[in-house]
Amino acid sequence: MEESGRWRHMRSAPRDGSRILVTIRPSEQGPGAVDLVYWSRGDRFGGEAWRSSDSVPGRIIQYAEPELKCWMPMPAANVDQLAFPSAWEGKDEEELDGSGI
């Protein structure tokens, strides 16, 4: 996959089922956060959408497109760095991909 380490616009996220990291927009339920998701083409459980599998077997979380602000590829496996990156906190979407510089 592409170079990791920077947030990108959701419109460029791969919709091939590969797992990516996303920033979930802050809401009344809490601050922005990072989650691991994949694009699902739809099945008996729902239509096409970004989905995340929670740690509870069989529990699937489905995100509406507006809930997700940006994405980045999964980082390479590195024993020294096991934490997710911080959620993107920029206010202006033009700042993504370095386009606000």
Side-chain angles (χ1 to χ4, degrees):
M1 201 173 248
E2 302 174 25
E3 166 200 351
S4 61
R6 65 182 178 87
W7 292 108
R8 299 164 168 85
H9 289 279
M10 282 304 297
R11 68 178 172 261
S12 67
R15 293 183 181 225
D16 60 3
S18 57
R19 280 155 170 67
I20 59 173
L21 298 178
V22 295
T23 292
I24 303 164
R25 292 180 186 272
S27 68
E28 61 276 354
Q29 280 99 22
V34 174
D35 200 358
L36 177 85
V37 303
Y38 60 94
W39 180 255
S40 174
R41 299 210 181 275
D43 55 22
R44 65 181 184 179
F45 300 109
E48 292 186 327
W50 293 104
R51 292 186 181 171
S52 175
S53 298
D54 199 31
S55 58
V56 178
R59 178 161 182 207
I60 296 174
I61 298 167
Q62 184 168 305
Y63 291 108
E65 194 80 29
E67 290 180 278
L68 305 178
K69 186 157 189 89
C70 51
W71 76 281
M72 82 168 54
M74 288 292 296
N78 184 344
V79 188
D80 297 331
Q81 186 181 14
L82 294 177
F84 275 172
S86 298
W88 188 73
E89 295 179 2
K91 300 216 183 303
D92 193 351
E93 300 221 357
E94 280 75 37
E95 295 174 19
L96 287 170
D97 295 327
S99 57
I101 298 174

